[in-house]
PDB file of all heavy atoms in Angstrom:
ATOM      1  N   VAL X 345      12.324 -16.856  13.780  1.00 89.00           N
ATOM      2  CA  VAL X 345      12.775 -16.565  15.141  1.00 89.00           C
ATOM      3  C   VAL X 345      13.758 -15.391  15.175  1.00 89.00           C
ATOM      4  O   VAL X 345      13.547 -14.432  15.931  1.00 89.00           O
ATOM      5  CB  VAL X 345      13.352 -17.848  15.788  1.00 89.00           C
ATOM      6  CG1 VAL X 345      13.967 -17.519  17.125  1.00 89.00           C
ATOM      7  CG2 VAL X 345      12.251 -18.881  15.951  1.00 89.00           C
ATOM      8  N   PRO X 346      14.814 -15.394  14.337  1.00 88.00           N
ATOM      9  CA  PRO X 346      15.676 -14.210  14.341  1.00 88.00           C
ATOM     10  C   PRO X 346      14.967 -12.949  13.853  1.00 88.00           C
ATOM     11  O   PRO X 346      15.265 -11.852  14.322  1.00 88.00           O
ATOM     12  CB  PRO X 346      16.817 -14.574  13.391  1.00 88.00           C
ATOM     13  CG  PRO X 346      16.461 -15.828  12.753  1.00 88.00           C
ATOM     14  CD  PRO X 346      15.327 -16.441  13.451  1.00 88.00           C
ATOM     15  N   LEU X 347      14.016 -13.136  12.949  1.00 88.00           N
ATOM     16  CA  LEU X 347      13.275 -11.971  12.451  1.00 88.00           C
ATOM     17  C   LEU X 347      12.527 -11.314  13.588  1.00 88.00           C
ATOM     18  O   LEU X 347      12.504 -10.092  13.728  1.00 88.00           O
ATOM     19  CB  LEU X 347      12.310 -12.421  11.361  1.00 88.00           C
ATOM     20  CG  LEU X 347      11.583 -11.297  10.650  1.00 88.00           C
ATOM     21  CD1 LEU X 347      12.550 -10.500   9.819  1.00 88.00           C
ATOM     22  CD2 LEU X 347      10.487 -11.847   9.771  1.00 88.00           C
ATOM     23  N   LYS X 348      11.944 -12.165  14.447  1.00 88.00           N
ATOM     24  CA  LYS X 348      11.208 -11.590  15.576  1.00 88.00           C
ATOM     25  C   LYS X 348      12.167 -10.827  16.485  1.00 88.00           C
ATOM     26  O   LYS X 348      11.857  -9.733  16.957  1.00 88.00           O
ATOM     27  CB  LYS X 348      10.511 -12.693  16.365  1.00 88.00           C
ATOM     28  CG  LYS X 348       9.568 -12.099  17.370  1.00 88.00           C
ATOM     29  CD  LYS X 348       9.215 -12.988  18.503  1.00 88.00           C
ATOM     30  CE  LYS X 348       8.644 -12.118  19.627  1.00 88.00           C
ATOM     31  NZ  LYS X 348       8.418 -12.843  20.836  1.00 88.00           N
ATOM     32  N   ALA X 349      13.350 -11.409  16.705  1.00 86.00           N
ATOM     33  CA  ALA X 349      14.320 -10.727  17.563  1.00 86.00           C
ATOM     34  C   ALA X 349      14.684  -9.375  16.964  1.00 86.00           C
ATOM     35  O   ALA X 349      14.777  -8.364  17.660  1.00 86.00           O
ATOM     36  CB  ALA X 349      15.563 -11.595  17.714  1.00 86.00           C
ATOM     37  N   GLU X 350      14.855  -9.337  15.640  1.00 85.00           N
ATOM     38  CA  GLU X 350      15.218  -8.071  15.008  1.00 85.00           C
ATOM     39  C   GLU X 350      14.101  -7.051  15.127  1.00 85.00           C
ATOM     40  O   GLU X 350      14.351  -5.874  15.379  1.00 85.00           O
ATOM     41  CB  GLU X 350      15.557  -8.311  13.533  1.00 85.00           C
ATOM     42  CG  GLU X 350      17.040  -8.357  13.287  1.00 85.00           C
ATOM     43  CD  GLU X 350      17.343  -8.599  11.835  1.00 85.00           C
ATOM     44  OE1 GLU X 350      17.002  -7.716  11.031  1.00 85.00           O
ATOM     45  OE2 GLU X 350      17.901  -9.656  11.505  1.00 85.00           O
ATOM     46  N   MET X 351      12.877  -7.529  14.923  1.00 85.00           N
ATOM     47  CA  MET X 351      11.760  -6.590  15.031  1.00 85.00           C
ATOM     48  C   MET X 351      11.652  -6.087  16.454  1.00 85.00           C
ATOM     49  O   MET X 351      11.416  -4.906  16.689  1.00 85.00           O
ATOM     50  CB  MET X 351      10.464  -7.279  14.615  1.00 85.00           C
ATOM     51  CG  MET X 351      10.390  -7.532  13.128  1.00 85.00           C
ATOM     52  SD  MET X 351       8.755  -7.953  12.555  1.00 85.00           S
ATOM     53  CE  MET X 351       8.342  -9.369  13.503  1.00 85.00           C
ATOM     54  N   ALA X 352      11.850  -7.001  17.422  1.00 85.00           N
ATOM     55  CA  ALA X 352      11.743  -6.583  18.814  1.00 85.00           C
ATOM     56  C   ALA X 352      12.827  -5.573  19.148  1.00 85.00           C
ATOM     57  O   ALA X 352      12.657  -4.727  20.028  1.00 85.00           O
ATOM     58  CB  ALA X 352      11.842  -7.800  19.729  1.00 85.00           C
ATOM     59  N   ALA X 353      13.959  -5.645  18.449  1.00 82.00           N
ATOM     60  CA  ALA X 353      15.022  -4.682  18.730  1.00 82.00           C
ATOM     61  C   ALA X 353      14.763  -3.347  18.031  1.00 82.00           C
ATOM     62  O   ALA X 353      15.001  -2.288  18.596  1.00 82.00           O
ATOM     63  CB  ALA X 353      16.366  -5.250  18.277  1.00 82.00           C
ATOM     64  N   LEU X 354      14.283  -3.417  16.808  1.00 78.00           N
ATOM     65  CA  LEU X 354      14.198  -2.190  16.002  1.00 78.00           C
ATOM     66  C   LEU X 354      12.947  -1.371  16.288  1.00 78.00           C
ATOM     67  O   LEU X 354      13.018  -0.164  16.503  1.00 78.00           O
ATOM     68  CB  LEU X 354      14.251  -2.551  14.515  1.00 78.00           C
ATOM     69  CG  LEU X 354      14.087  -1.365  13.575  1.00 78.00           C
ATOM     70  CD1 LEU X 354      15.285  -0.448  13.675  1.00 78.00           C
ATOM     71  CD2 LEU X 354      13.904  -1.807  12.146  1.00 78.00           C
ATOM     72  N   LEU X 355      11.787  -2.054  16.307  1.00 76.00           N
ATOM     73  CA  LEU X 355      10.544  -1.289  16.285  1.00 76.00           C
ATOM     74  C   LEU X 355      10.306  -0.436  17.533  1.00 76.00           C
ATOM     75  O   LEU X 355       9.893   0.711  17.402  1.00 76.00           O
ATOM     76  CB  LEU X 355       9.380  -2.243  16.031  1.00 76.00           C
ATOM     77  CG  LEU X 355       9.549  -2.935  14.679  1.00 76.00           C
ATOM     78  CD1 LEU X 355       8.478  -3.966  14.471  1.00 76.00           C
ATOM     79  CD2 LEU X 355       9.517  -1.923  13.557  1.00 76.00           C
ATOM     80  N   PRO X 356      10.596  -0.945  18.742  1.00 78.00           N
ATOM     81  CA  PRO X 356      10.441  -0.056  19.891  1.00 78.00           C
ATOM     82  C   PRO X 356      11.320   1.190  19.766  1.00 78.00           C
ATOM     83  O   PRO X 356      10.955   2.253  20.247  1.00 78.00           O
ATOM     84  CB  PRO X 356      10.872  -0.929  21.066  1.00 78.00           C
ATOM     85  CG  PRO X 356      10.614  -2.303  20.615  1.00 78.00           C
ATOM     86  CD  PRO X 356      10.933  -2.309  19.156  1.00 78.00           C
ATOM     87  N   LEU X 357      12.458   1.059  19.100  1.00 77.00           N
ATOM     88  CA  LEU X 357      13.321   2.222  18.906  1.00 77.00           C
ATOM     89  C   LEU X 357      12.613   3.267  18.066  1.00 77.00           C
ATOM     90  O   LEU X 357      12.674   4.461  18.339  1.00 77.00           O
ATOM     91  CB  LEU X 357      14.605   1.812  18.197  1.00 77.00           C
ATOM     92  CG  LEU X 357      15.594   1.025  19.015  1.00 77.00           C
ATOM     93  CD1 LEU X 357      16.818   0.741  18.184  1.00 77.00           C
ATOM     94  CD2 LEU X 357      15.963   1.837  20.226  1.00 77.00           C
ATOM     95  N   VAL X 358      11.947   2.787  17.024  1.00 76.00           N
ATOM     96  CA  VAL X 358      11.218   3.718  16.171  1.00 76.00           C
ATOM     97  C   VAL X 358      10.211   4.481  17.013  1.00 76.00           C
ATOM     98  O   VAL X 358      10.068   5.703  16.913  1.00 76.00           O
ATOM     99  CB  VAL X 358      10.512   2.962  15.028  1.00 76.00           C
ATOM    100  CG1 VAL X 358       9.669   3.906  14.220  1.00 76.00           C
ATOM    101  CG2 VAL X 358      11.537   2.279  14.152  1.00 76.00           C
ATOM    102  N   ALA X 359       9.516   3.723  17.901  1.00 77.00           N
ATOM    103  CA  ALA X 359       8.498   4.377  18.714  1.00 77.00           C
ATOM    104  C   ALA X 359       9.125   5.307  19.747  1.00 77.00           C
ATOM    105  O   ALA X 359       8.471   6.225  20.229  1.00 77.00           O
ATOM    106  CB  ALA X 359       7.635   3.326  19.392  1.00 77.00           C
ATOM    107  N   ALA X 360      10.395   5.071  20.093  1.00 79.00           N
ATOM    108  CA  ALA X 360      11.011   5.902  21.124  1.00 79.00           C
ATOM    109  C   ALA X 360      11.719   7.125  20.550  1.00 79.00           C
ATOM    110  O   ALA X 360      12.212   7.963  21.290  1.00 79.00           O
ATOM    111  CB  ALA X 360      12.016   5.054  21.915  1.00 79.00           C
ATOM    112  N   HIS X 361      11.779   7.207  19.229  1.00 79.00           N
ATOM    113  CA  HIS X 361      12.489   8.308  18.576  1.00 79.00           C
ATOM    114  C   HIS X 361      11.798   9.632  18.888  1.00 79.00           C
ATOM    115  O   HIS X 361      10.587   9.758  18.724  1.00 79.00           O
ATOM    116  CB  HIS X 361      12.473   8.038  17.070  1.00 79.00           C
ATOM    117  CG  HIS X 361      13.425   8.861  16.289  1.00 79.00           C
ATOM    118  ND1 HIS X 361      13.348  10.216  16.263  1.00 79.00           N
ATOM    119  CD2 HIS X 361      14.472   8.521  15.501  1.00 79.00           C
ATOM    120  CE1 HIS X 361      14.314  10.681  15.474  1.00 79.00           C
ATOM    121  NE2 HIS X 361      15.006   9.660  15.017  1.00 79.00           N
ATOM    122  N   SER X 362      12.554  10.613  19.350  1.00 78.00           N
ATOM    123  CA  SER X 362      11.904  11.829  19.852  1.00 78.00           C
ATOM    124  C   SER X 362      11.169  12.579  18.742  1.00 78.00           C
ATOM    125  O   SER X 362      10.073  13.100  18.956  1.00 78.00           O
ATOM    126  CB  SER X 362      12.939  12.735  20.499  1.00 78.00           C
ATOM    127  OG  SER X 362      13.939  13.071  19.568  1.00 78.00           O
ATOM    128  N   VAL X 363      11.760  12.649  17.551  1.00 79.00           N
ATOM    129  CA  VAL X 363      11.082  13.387  16.487  1.00 79.00           C
ATOM    130  C   VAL X 363       9.831  12.625  16.036  1.00 79.00           C
ATOM    131  O   VAL X 363       8.791  13.224  15.776  1.00 79.00           O
ATOM    132  CB  VAL X 363      12.028  13.624  15.299  1.00 79.00           C
ATOM    133  CG1 VAL X 363      11.353  14.526  14.290  1.00 79.00           C
ATOM    134  CG2 VAL X 363      13.311  14.263  15.762  1.00 79.00           C
ATOM    135  N   VAL X 364       9.931  11.293  15.993  1.00 81.00           N
ATOM    136  CA  VAL X 364       8.748  10.494  15.645  1.00 81.00           C
ATOM    137  C   VAL X 364       7.640  10.777  16.638  1.00 81.00           C
ATOM    138  O   VAL X 364       6.491  11.023  16.270  1.00 81.00           O
ATOM    139  CB  VAL X 364       9.092   8.988  15.636  1.00 81.00           C
ATOM    140  CG1 VAL X 364       7.852   8.172  15.430  1.00 81.00           C
ATOM    141  CG2 VAL X 364      10.099   8.684  14.557  1.00 81.00           C
ATOM    142  N   GLN X 365       7.999  10.767  17.923  1.00 83.00           N
ATOM    143  CA  GLN X 365       6.971  11.032  18.937  1.00 83.00           C
ATOM    144  C   GLN X 365       6.368  12.411  18.763  1.00 83.00           C
ATOM    145  O   GLN X 365       5.164  12.592  18.885  1.00 83.00           O
ATOM    146  CB  GLN X 365       7.575  10.889  20.327  1.00 83.00           C
ATOM    147  CG  GLN X 365       7.834   9.447  20.685  1.00 83.00           C
ATOM    148  CD  GLN X 365       8.211   9.294  22.129  1.00 83.00           C
ATOM    149  OE1 GLN X 365       8.361  10.269  22.850  1.00 83.00           O
ATOM    150  NE2 GLN X 365       8.399   8.057  22.553  1.00 83.00           N
ATOM    151  N   SER X 366       7.221  13.387  18.449  1.00 82.00           N
ATOM    152  CA  SER X 366       6.681  14.740  18.310  1.00 82.00           C
ATOM    153  C   SER X 366       5.705  14.825  17.151  1.00 82.00           C
ATOM    154  O   SER X 366       4.844  15.692  17.118  1.00 82.00           O
ATOM    155  CB  SER X 366       7.814  15.743  18.122  1.00 82.00           C
ATOM    156  OG  SER X 366       8.162  15.851  16.763  1.00 82.00           O
TER     157      SER X 366
END
Side-chain angles (χ1 to χ4, degrees):
Chain X
V345 173
L347 186 68
K348 190 201 162 187
E350 259 180 65
M351 288 194 303
L354 177 68
L355 299 175
L357 287 182
V358 175
H361 195 299
S362 59
V363 187
V364 174
Q365 287 190 355
S366 87

